[in-house]
Amino acid sequence: MFYYSRDRGGAHPVRHLAGYAGILQADAYSGYNKLYEADRRPGRIIEAGCWVHARRPFFVLADIDANARRKAEGKTTGVVSPLALGGGPAHRRAV
């Protein structure tokens, strides 16, 4: 289900889900926090967290040693995304 909102205000998800109680899979957006309150009516919404957001810190921790070795050797981390390279759409497609 998708509802458009003009901004990222927390009032929007509260209004959109006013009559819902159950499980909500969502990212870590703080606008959902009021939905997870135990005394919420008509009932509490249980957060089913996003695994992509949950696993990121573990990957960062796993790379600490590798990053430290690269830094000690004077190497830099490679570019992760072609979007970070700049150069416009034609350049990004070529990458």
Side-chain angles (χ1 to χ4, degrees):
M1 176 183 308
F2 175 82
Y3 285 101
Y4 170 78
S5 302
R6 290 183 180 194
D7 57 40
R8 292 183 47 80
H12 301 297
V14 169
R15 185 177 62 250
H16 295 321
L17 298 166
Y20 178 73
I23 298 172
L24 174 68
Q25 182 174 2
D27 61 9
Y29 169 51
S30 64
Y32 295 126
N33 289 346
K34 288 199 179 286
L35 298 172
Y36 305 138
E37 292 176 355
D39 60 348
R40 181 183 174 273
R41 297 290 173 239
R44 185 172 175 213
I45 291 181
I46 299 168
E47 179 181 10
C50 172
W51 281 103
V52 171
H53 288 87
R55 72 180 185 171
R56 285 179 186 165
F58 293 105
F59 282 94
V60 169
L61 288 173
D63 278 350
I64 287 174
D65 289 335
N67 288 333
R69 282 193 299 276
R70 271 196 298 275
K71 196 172 193 179
E73 295 168 1
K75 297 178 182 176
T76 59
T77 305
V79 175
V80 175
S81 168
L83 298 175
L85 296 173
H91 176 74
R92 290 192 297 270
R93 279 193 294 275
V95 174

